[in-house]
Structures are given as C-alpha cells and as structure tokens.
Amino acid sequence: MKQITALLSVSDKTGIVDFAKALVSRGVKILSTGGTAKLLKEEGLKVTEVAEYTGSPEILDGRVKTLHPKVHGGLLARRDDENHLSTIAEHGIDTIDLLVVNLYPFQQTIDKPDCSFADTIENIDIGGPAMLRAAAKNHGTDKGGVTVIIDPKDYDEVLKELDEKGQTSYGLRLRLATKVYAHTSAYDGAIASYLSSLEDAEPAQNKTPSQKEWPGIITIQMQQHQAMRYGENPHQRAAFYVDSKQDVGLLGTYKQLQGKELSYNNIADADAAWECARSFKVPACVIVKHANPCGVAMAEGPLQAYQKAFKTDPTSAFGGIIAFNREVDLATAQAVSEQFLEVLLAPSYSKDALAFLANKKNVRVLSIPSGDGRNAFDAKRVGGGWLIQDPDLTPLDPTQIEVVTKKQPSEQQMKDLLFAWQVAHYVKSNAIVFCADGMTMGVGAGQMSRLDSARIASIKAEANGLSLKDTAVASDAFFPFRDGLDVVVEAGANCVIQPGGSIRDDEVIAAADEHDIAMVFTKMRHFRH
C-alpha cells in the first residue's frame, strides 16, 4: 500500500481513536487539529498538527487553522494531472489522500433552550465544509482521488478496501463524496433556516399571518427513515423521510412496537388519524379510512370512545387506522381487535394490552409520545414547484362565534356544534359532518359539491342505522345556496355551524329561521384538499 496521508478533524469523536490506530498500523501518516489531535496524542499515536505542517499557527480563536494552501492544495490536486502534481511539489505541498471531518454541531446548538446568538454563530463551521467540499470535488477517477468520510459508520468499509486493494475504489469514493454534499447542503440549510427565522422574529410580533413574508429560498431537510416496497400503488417507488429535527407529538417520532412494515398509505392515514385524535383534550378515538375520519368520538375513556366512533360507519372502518389520545388498556385492545385494522396508534399501552396484541401479529402497533410539536409549514408538490403555507392550526376563537339566527343554540347544542366543527377540520373538502353527544353520526367528505357531501352523510347514517334527528352539523366552508342547508335539516339537524361569508348568507340565514333551527358563524373556514 502506497504512503497515505490522512487529515482527521472531528467534532463527533465516536470511533475516531480506533480508526486512527487502524490507519497508523497500516502505515498512514496522520495530520490533525485541535481537540482531535490532543485526543489522539493522549492515546499514544504519532500525530502531526496541521499548524506544524502548514507553518501557520491557528489564529482568531481557532477560526482560521485549515484554510491554507498546504491543506487545500493537498486535497484539490488531481492525481492524474502531472501539472497539478508538479505544482504542489514545487510549493512543498503533500497530497492529502484521506479526509475525516464532521462539522461543528450547529443543529444541536440551536436546539438547546438556553442557546445564545453568540454560541450559535460560533458553531457555524467554516474550515470543515471547505475541506469537505474540496475533498468531495476531488474524489477523482478510477486512477485515484481523495477519500472523504463524515460518518463513523463508514470507517470499517474504508479499512476493508485499503486491506484488499491498497487504496479505496472509485465507487466507494463517489458514494462518500455524494454523502458529503448532502451533508454540507443540509448543514448550510439549517443555518439559512435559523437566520431566516431571526429576520422575521421581531416584525412578526406585530403582523397578521397574511402580512408575514416567506423567505426567498426555503431549504427542506429530510432524512430517509424507511424505504418502502411501493407507494400509493405497486408501480410507484416510495420512501418515508423525516425532518432532521423532530418535535415531540408528531407522527415522525413514532415507535413501532409490533406488526408488518408500514406502507406509504399506512403512514399517510396514520398521520390523519393521529392529528385529529391529539386535537382533543378529553379521551377520544378516531378511525380513518383513505385519509378521512369515518368515525370520531370522545368519551370518559378510550373503550367507550372507540365503541361510539365505530358505530358511525362500521363498513368503512374495516381495514382502517385507529388512533387514541390516551393509553390503550386491555379492554380497548380486545375491542378493536374484533375488527380488521391496519394500524393502531396511541401514546402508550398497558402491559396486558401489549401482551394481547402480540397475538395479532398483522396489526401494526405504534406509540407516539404526546406533545405539542407542530410542523413549521405545510408543503404540497405541484408540477415544477411547491405550494407552501402555514399549517391550519389557528384555534377557533369563542368570541368570534356569532349566532346569526333567531333561535339560540342550547348549551348541549353548542357542545355538539363545537365537536362537529373540530371533526370537520380534519375531513377533506367539501366536508359535512353530523354529530350528537360527542360522536360523529354521518360524514360526507371530498365531494365536488357541498350538496352531495350533505346527501352522502345522511345516506351513510341511514345505512348504519343511525338517526340524525336533533343532530348538529358542521360545514367546513359556507353554504353557497340554501339547498345544502335544506338537505341537512330534512335529514334531522337542528343546529348548524359554518364559517359564513357567502354573498347569499342572508338567504341561508332566512332558510335556517324558516326551519326554526339555530345557526352560528365561525368566520373561519377549514378547506382541506
């Protein structure tokens, strides 16, 4: 094996001592900086400090140490270019064949609640990304190039190739270089996102959401969590990626306790169920099929909530996703297992519930810690671009609710209306939701016509043997004509909650008065496409 020079400078020192020892035992010359050099020397390894090699001391409190021609010349000189090689020889520069660098922990720093702005700025690495990009650019050809490592998991593979071939293969160097550019891109993206948040921090306090400006460039950083057999359909490739930073309470923090691998559709539907379930402050159960709630209920406990939710639409619940916002006990586990379900979600499970579910090997059981984590924004892919918006998280302001009819809703009716409104928030538009006593009685979702959604909701209730007499109805957007209101009243509704805002509001209000029902306006809509 030809003489190899390696430069080691890492913030994550996992495995670095053993790797350095393995390199030295193979005749590799070690260059290093700062804390890494100190650690390796303490372990008895022969190390040349970069400052000694370059003849230039570290300056500006360590901000400048590797930004030197003897470092970057050694990394960037092409191994198959005689002019490059003669030039660095003329200037007394040796080639650096192996670079092991990982960057200052910027993301970990800003995640600390007591992190100061000064600490954040000091944890923006300059020399590290410059070396990584130089080495990755010069990963070379099949005739040789620089091997660059950012991940301790790659140490063993590099050593294996050195032993087998005397040098690393082009394929490995290319893969590692690709990994570097993804890493530095994510690193710069985290910095850009942090600084963008500062730009808007002060003005945002006095602005409405519509007045706030989105940054000119948004960097979305994702890490692959799971490769999938296929996507929505078997002919589509798919994978599940999670945010580099996970807030407690979001689906991305799930832990799978048992069952088959989650599919693309499982994860999409599980997110819909979980978001709805965790929006309730009292015990609640949400059953989702094809991204829409087909049964939602709240009760004194999870079992009772499930029993009520299941009654809404047992047919649609078959093969669905069931989410609870409270611990699942044995009785609840036994009840849900009487039907075919794909995924069960809850913050936790009792020991006897888990023991029982272990016999249902096909059921995917997920635990998600309760929390208030929220996505910073929603994104939707369109041809050639993205649509970015704030998540629909604004709570209903009770002071904004306006009773617009002659008839006032009773206390119980108002409870039912608010429950129906909360469920409608999670139903695809056009959404019509009938509810009574903390339970969905009929759900009409995703129709091109609001009138059809109203009809479908009543048809489903009738098919499932549920009476809609004296139910509350929520509409996610205004009734554009009185016909939709007529349909829900004819089905049995005695009160309605809707945003209002139609040019025909007066006509719809007059219809409600004609039917002698109560109607309230929220002045907020919940379109969900």
Side-chain angles (χ1 to χ4, degrees):
M1 186 169 66
K2 73 179 186 70
Q3 174 68 52
I4 293 175
T5 298
L7 196 165
L8 280 55
S9 181
V10 294
S11 59
D12 177 4
K13 296 179 172 53
T14 303
I16 193 62
V17 172
D18 289 340
F19 184 58
K21 287 180 178 178
L23 292 175
V24 170
S25 71
R26 290 161 173 79
V28 176
K29 177 183 176 183
I30 304 293
L31 300 175
S32 191
T33 64
T36 306
K38 180 181 178 183
L39 173 63
L40 297 181
K41 287 179 179 179
E42 289 173 350
E43 292 292 330
L45 292 168
K46 183 179 179 180
V47 175
T48 300
E49 293 211 37
V50 166
E52 178 185 347
Y53 168 66
T54 62
S56 297
E58 293 185 10
I59 61 174
L60 305 181
D61 299 319
R63 284 189 170 194
V64 178
K65 50 191 173 188
T66 58
L67 298 171
H68 193 281
K70 293 192 76 171
V71 172
H72 287 273
L75 291 171
L76 284 166
R78 290 183 53 172
R79 276 41 171 180
D80 60 350
D81 188 315
E82 292 300 325
N83 182 51
H84 277 209
L85 295 177
S86 63
T87 297
I88 63 171
E90 178 184 345
H91 291 279
I93 298 173
D94 296 330
T95 59
I96 298 174
D97 309 290
L98 174 63
L99 179 71
V100 184
V101 167
N102 45 59
L103 306 177
Y104 293 167
F106 179 82
Q107 187 65 55
Q108 294 91 322
T109 299
I110 62 175
D111 286 346
K112 296 176 182 176
D114 58 346
C115 173
S116 68
F117 179 74
D119 286 341
T120 300
I121 296 303
E122 284 308 309
N123 275 279
I124 297 177
D125 204 326
I126 302 300
M131 289 191 292
L132 286 173
R133 291 173 60 84
K137 174 178 180 175
N138 201 30
H139 68 274
T141 66
D142 55 2
K143 295 182 180 179
V146 180
T147 305
V148 56
I149 305 175
I150 56 165
D151 187 348
K153 294 177 183 176
D154 294 317
Y155 292 162
D156 287 344
E157 189 171 1
V158 169
L159 292 174
K160 181 180 178 183
E161 288 209 357
L162 291 178
D163 288 340
E164 292 177 351
K165 306 172 184 179
Q167 63 178 2
T168 54
S169 66
Y170 175 75
L172 176 59
R173 293 197 303 274
L174 175 61
R175 181 172 67 80
L176 295 176
T178 303
K179 196 170 182 177
V180 160
Y181 282 119
H183 183 70
T184 55
S185 173
Y187 191 82
D188 286 341
I191 296 169
S193 295
Y194 171 78
L195 294 178
S196 294
S197 71
L198 295 181
E199 287 178 8
D200 195 41
E202 290 303 319
Q205 294 176 5
N206 301 313
K207 289 183 177 181
T208 66
S210 62
Q211 292 174 318
K212 296 177 186 176
E213 294 183 1
W214 285 97
I217 296 176
I218 292 179
T219 301
I220 300 176
Q221 300 178 47
M222 301 177 288
Q223 299 173 347
Q224 189 180 116
H225 180 74
Q226 176 193 336
M228 295 172 169
R229 286 186 299 150
Y230 56 82
E232 282 185 295
N233 301 292
H235 60 274
Q236 294 173 272
R237 292 186 306 156
F240 179 38
Y241 286 79
V242 297
D243 295 334
S244 56
K245 178 187 176 185
Q246 284 292 323
D247 289 336
V248 177
L250 296 174
L251 181 75
T253 63
Y254 80 82
K255 180 179 180 181
Q256 186 165 355
L257 305 180
Q258 72 166 58
K260 297 183 294 185
E261 184 180 86
L262 290 165
S263 71
Y264 181 99
N265 293 329
N266 287 158
I267 290 176
D269 287 351
D271 185 60
W274 176 247
E275 286 299 313
C276 184
R278 77 186 185 113
S279 72
F280 290 94
K281 302 302 182 185
V282 298
C285 173
V286 177
I287 306 174
V288 161
K289 191 71 173 290
H290 291 272
N292 272 303
C294 60
V296 181
M298 55 186 185
E300 61 271 22
L303 175 60
Q304 296 81 359
Y306 166 71
Q307 291 169 334
K308 291 169 67 176
F310 183 70
K311 287 180 183 178
T312 304
D313 191 351
T315 302
S316 296
F318 180 85
I321 311 291
I322 302 178
F324 293 92
N325 63 355
R326 295 292 190 275
E327 179 173 282
V328 169
D329 55 20
L330 176 59
T332 306
Q334 290 172 330
V336 299
S337 296
E338 291 178 4
Q339 71 166 101
F340 170 59
L341 70 154
E342 291 277 358
V343 182
L344 180 62
L345 304 91
S348 60
Y349 302 82
S350 67
K351 289 183 179 180
D352 50 0
L354 286 177
F356 174 80
L357 290 167
N359 298 315
K360 310 292 181 180
K361 299 188 182 299
N362 288 332
V363 178
R364 301 162 177 90
V365 178
L366 309 184
S367 66
I368 304 177
S370 296
D372 296 324
R374 301 293 180 186
N375 288 332
F377 56 85
D378 284 342
K380 181 178 290 188
R381 197 75 166 100
V382 296
W386 296 82
L387 286 170
I388 304 292
Q389 66 175 352
D390 292 322
D392 186 7
L393 300 174
T394 304
L396 179 61
D397 182 354
T399 64
Q400 290 282 86
I401 297 175
E402 179 185 3
V403 179
V404 294
T405 50
K406 297 174 182 177
K407 191 162 191 175
Q408 298 286 313
S410 68
E411 183 178 347
Q412 182 59 47
Q413 284 177 327
M414 186 57 77
K415 287 181 180 178
D416 287 339
L417 287 170
L418 293 177
F419 174 77
W421 181 251
Q422 190 167 350
V423 175
H425 183 177
Y426 296 95
V427 177
K428 299 288 187 181
S429 299
N430 287 311
I432 294 291
V433 181
F434 287 82
C435 294
D437 192 27
M439 167 186 167
T440 49
M441 305 294 284
V443 179
Q447 298 304 304
M448 293 73 76
S449 161
R450 189 164 303 279
L451 185 61
D452 286 342
S453 288
R455 289 169 174 157
I456 288 171
S458 60
I459 290 170
K460 279 185 165 289
E462 182 179 0
N464 292 305
L466 298 175
S467 171
L468 296 182
K469 181 176 172 54
D470 295 334
T471 52
V473 166
S475 173
D476 65 337
F478 60 66
F479 286 100
F481 303 96
R482 68 167 288 166
D483 53 3
L485 184 77
D486 290 337
V487 167
V488 300
V489 173
E490 183 181 350
N494 64 9
C495 56
V496 171
I497 186 169
Q498 60 136 318
S502 167
I503 59 173
R504 294 183 178 86
D505 274 349
D506 289 343
E507 175 186 325
V508 177
I509 293 170
D513 285 336
E514 179 184 320
H515 289 299
D516 193 29
I517 68 164
M519 184 165 66
V520 300
F521 282 2
T522 63
K523 302 174 185 176
M524 170 191 291
R525 80 175 187 201
H526 283 307
F527 271 168
R528 194 175 187 86
H529 292 96

